[in-house]
Amino acid sequence: MVVVGGGFGGVNVTRALARADADVTIVDRTNHHLFQPLLYQVATGILPGGLIAPALRRVVRKQANAHAVLADVQRMDTEGRVVHALAPDGRELALPYDSLVVAAGCTDTYFGHDEWEAFAPGLKTLEDAHHVRSHILSAFEMAELTADPAERAAYLTFAVVGAGPTGVEMVGQVCRGSTGRWSPRRRRSC
């Protein structure tokens, strides 16, 4: 069996098959399983990324019938029952299967306006979280350097799109200055 995706779906399917009479190959383009609900904590500097992204091999290591493969799936030949992927070194891999589970995750959508991505980064990967963290911390540092209240306010103005748990937690942490403390120099109108 081949499971495409090392996120919640792929890992849960793999774990559910722990006692099955099957060899399970879980393939993902990253070498870690990401606990996405805590990405906002990495983005706001509360947690290091490693705490929410254990190695995928470690996640399945105690499961005798499972192993992880680091590769980027290119296509799936459903008639031939083979998943074709590229290893990090560019080698082509052919992963034959009897059963296939596709749990490849999701991506951000900009509703047909891909140009918005430059101004509204997503928060789906560790790389996204590190990018957002760098932007937030740089804005705080620049705000500290200026004596102009209008310029400081501009640096400390953030827009968060989405009011689900991640968006709400993100706003709360940014309002605290990503340190858990209120600063008298920072806007309090969050």
Side-chain angles (χ1 to χ4, degrees), residues 17-140:
L17 295 168
R19 300 194 193 293
D21 183 22
D23 291 320
V24 181
T25 299
I26 185 169
V27 58
D28 199 291
R29 67 179 151 209
T30 65
N31 66 349
H32 57 269
H33 166 70
L34 182 61
F35 191 77
Q36 281 187 324
L38 294 182
L39 270 175
Y40 79 91
Q41 290 194 8
V42 174
T44 57
I46 296 171
L47 289 177
L51 288 182
I52 67 165
L56 191 54
R57 292 179 191 287
R58 184 171 184 223
V59 171
V60 299
R61 75 172 183 243
K62 292 182 182 177
Q63 191 169 330
N65 69 338
H67 75 279
V69 172
L70 176 62
D72 189 7
V73 173
Q74 301 296 299
R75 64 187 177 87
M76 292 171 255
D77 175 2
T78 56
E79 287 184 22
R81 294 182 171 261
V82 176
V83 171
H84 296 275
L86 282 177
D89 64 0
R91 252 183 313 150
E92 294 183 16
L93 302 177
L95 305 169
Y97 64 85
D98 294 323
S99 298
L100 174 66
V101 174
V102 179
C106 61
T107 61
D108 297 309
T109 182
Y110 293 93
F111 307 101
H113 294 278
D114 292 341
E115 68 274 14
W116 293 352
E117 186 174 7
F119 307 103
L123 193 56
K124 297 262 190 281
T125 67
L126 277 178
E127 292 78 19
D128 292 344
H130 290 138
H131 174 76
V132 170
R133 179 181 181 188
S134 177
H135 180 77
I136 291 170
L137 294 178
S138 293
F140 286 156

Side-chain angles (χ1 to χ4, degrees), residues 1 3 26 31 44 74 99 108 115 118 128 153 157 168 172-173 179 183 187 189:
M1 167 177 265
V3 177
I26 185 169
N31 66 349
T44 57
Q74 301 296 299
S99 298
D108 297 309
E115 68 274 14
D128 292 344
T157 299
V168 170
Q173 290 304 318
T179 64
S183 170
R187 284 180 58 184
S189 60

Side-chain angles (χ1 to χ4, degrees), residues 137-158:
L137 294 178
S138 293
F140 286 156
E141 292 299 328
M142 294 305 295
E144 289 291 326
L145 292 175
T146 185
D148 179 8
E151 188 177 0
R152 182 177 300 118
Y155 281 122
L156 297 177
T157 299
F158 299 90

